[in-house]
Amino acid sequence: MNRRSVFVWVLPVLAGLGPIVLAGCGSKTPAVSTSTTEATVRGRVIVHGKPASGGTVWFDPANYRRKNAVAVSTDVTKEGSYEITTLIGENSVRYEGPAVSGDRELDGLVQGYTVEEGENSWDIVLPVQ
């Protein structure tokens, strides 16, 4: 068997396998929660290494399967702590307050957090490390 005849049958086989191999690579969309179960998240807001002294934390559990889910908010204490009840699953989280006001890097920054059933503890650290 010469080199040319090997290419004649190998190339079509490899070309046929390409789409099959690529179809299995990263084509799945991430899981999206439809749960209506709520859980509590407690933590602190840390901005540039110091506790935020006031402001508001927003958790938004809405996604294409929970279009009617509403964002919830809570005040941040003078010591920088917060407590909120929101739907379990992925939430978009943002902090608004004097500690980030006017800071282009941090103002309006949204982070993702997956809320689990039961009690959750999560410190919002800005800038994100």
Side-chain angles (χ1 to χ4, degrees), residues 2-69:
N2 66 26
R3 225 181 239 179
R4 184 174 167 92
S5 62
V6 169
F7 284 118
V8 168
W9 69 268
V10 170
L11 286 176
V13 169
L14 292 176
L17 289 175
I20 294 169
V21 171
L22 290 176
C25 296
S27 62
K28 291 186 176 181
T29 56
V32 177
S33 179
T34 59
S35 176
T36 56
T37 302
E38 293 183 329
T40 301
V41 183
R42 290 182 181 92
R44 296 183 327 148
V45 179
I46 309 294
V47 181
H48 295 296
K50 299 177 183 168
S53 58
T56 305
V57 172
W58 291 85
F59 277 67
D60 187 353
N63 61 50
Y64 77 95
R65 291 199 176 161
R66 290 198 290 212
K67 292 177 182 158
N68 296 327

